[in-house]
Amino acid sequence: SGIKTAVWFADDPYYSDLSIELAPHYEYVFTHELAALSYYQEAGASQVYYLPLAVHEGLFRPMPVSRQYMSDVCFIGTGFPNRIALFNQLVPYLAHKKVVIVGALWHHLKQYRLLSNSIIKGWMPAEETAKYYNGASIVINCHRSPIDPVYNRNSREMPAYSINPRTYEISACGTLQLTDIRQDLFSLYTPEEDLITYETADELIEKIENYLQDEEERRNIA
């Protein structure tokens, strides 16, 4: 009919087995994942562009919240295996803090009992997510692994360079974010100024403790 078609893949690379099949059927292909560009081009898509994610500032913004939303440390997201592995190391430390964890699959924690009263099961609407981010002193961001044969459909093992939507959403709420590192993070944020990065569980625990103690610095970065 002469109508130009476009698609924006905003969940790459986790379901690339599906998206790579779809991409050649569109005149314009957009992806938030830097690593996906070459994959779509090799699949026959002629015009492929990098379009990073962003945040809805009408939903994710600084706001006063009631005590029920307040915590020392908050994490919102599904308990994928790499996140479970990280939190298995954090549980003994977090058990002595006021913690909120939201999402499915967290029953896989080895010491689930120690945090069971802090876990809200299932999916949470954006409006509620923003309240919990605002009520937290620190929000942890841990990207899911691109290689996960159980929960992903990424048989080509496309890597992940770009940051998730939560990176933007946590920052927009004006809360201190401690995030793991993705390659594209450095083109969008300045670590140690806009947010704080970590690479290991021990480093994460050390930085959580430091920033819980240093409220002025925590608020300055947030």
Side-chain angles (χ1 to χ4, degrees):
S1 300
I3 299 170
K4 297 290 185 182
T5 57
V7 62
W8 184 20
F9 293 117
D11 209 11
D12 283 334
Y14 310 112
Y15 305 103
S16 64
D17 291 351
L18 302 175
S19 59
I20 285 176
E21 295 297 320
L22 292 170
H25 297 284
Y26 293 85
E27 276 83 18
Y28 302 98
V29 174
F30 299 92
T31 175
H32 86 104
E33 175 52 61
L34 277 172
L37 295 175
S38 60
Y39 286 82
Y40 291 134
Q41 290 165 346
E42 291 168 6
S46 58
Q47 299 191 70
V48 185
Y49 302 95
Y50 166 59
L51 180 60
L53 299 170
V55 63
H56 185 341
E57 291 181 320
L59 289 174
F60 294 94
R61 54 185 172 79
M63 66 181 80
V65 296
S66 59
R67 291 187 63 84
Q68 71 183 85
Y69 295 104
M70 294 181 179
S71 65
D72 295 325
V73 180
C74 174
F75 180 88
I76 299 179
T78 301
F80 292 116
N82 69 301
R83 293 171 175 170
I84 293 293
L86 173 67
F87 274 79
N88 277 337
Q89 299 177 75
L90 300 181
V91 167
Y93 171 77
L94 294 179
H96 302 286
K97 304 295 181 184
K98 183 172 175 51
V99 177
V100 172
I101 297 174
V102 182
L105 304 179
W106 288 100
H107 62 280
H108 290 299
L109 285 171
K110 290 180 180 178
Q111 296 176 285
Y112 173 79
R113 181 182 54 82
L114 291 178
L115 290 183
S116 60
N117 293 332
S118 303
I119 295 173
I120 302 171
K121 299 176 182 178
W123 178 82
M124 178 167 286
E127 293 84 356
E128 285 291 288
T129 297
K131 291 177 183 178
Y132 277 103
Y133 286 164
N134 271 275
S137 296
I138 291 171
V139 178
I140 298 172
N141 186 9
C142 176
H143 291 78
R144 63 189 286 189
S145 172
I147 312 301
D148 185 337
V150 177
Y151 297 104
N152 294 357
R153 297 185 66 179
N154 183 20
S155 62
R156 295 168 177 81
E157 299 190 352
M158 184 190 298
Y161 299 153
S162 295
I163 59 178
N164 60 18
R166 296 192 187 279
T167 311
Y168 306 93
E169 293 163 0
I170 299 164
S171 293
C173 289
T175 300
L176 180 63
Q177 174 175 182
L178 270 61
T179 182
D180 56 349
I181 298 171
R182 283 275 179 89
Q183 178 179 308
D184 202 23
L185 178 71
F186 301 96
S187 67
L188 295 158
Y189 289 91
T190 303
E192 315 312 314
E193 290 184 17
D194 301 322
L195 40 68
I196 302 299
T197 60
Y198 67 88
E199 296 189 56
T200 67
D202 287 342
E203 182 184 9
L204 179 54
I205 290 171
E206 180 182 351
K207 288 185 173 181
I208 290 173
E209 188 63 23
N210 286 343
Y211 286 108
L212 286 178
Q213 297 297 326
D214 192 343
E215 182 174 356
E216 182 178 0
E217 181 64 8
R218 186 179 77 244
R219 290 184 179 276
N220 285 340
I221 296 171

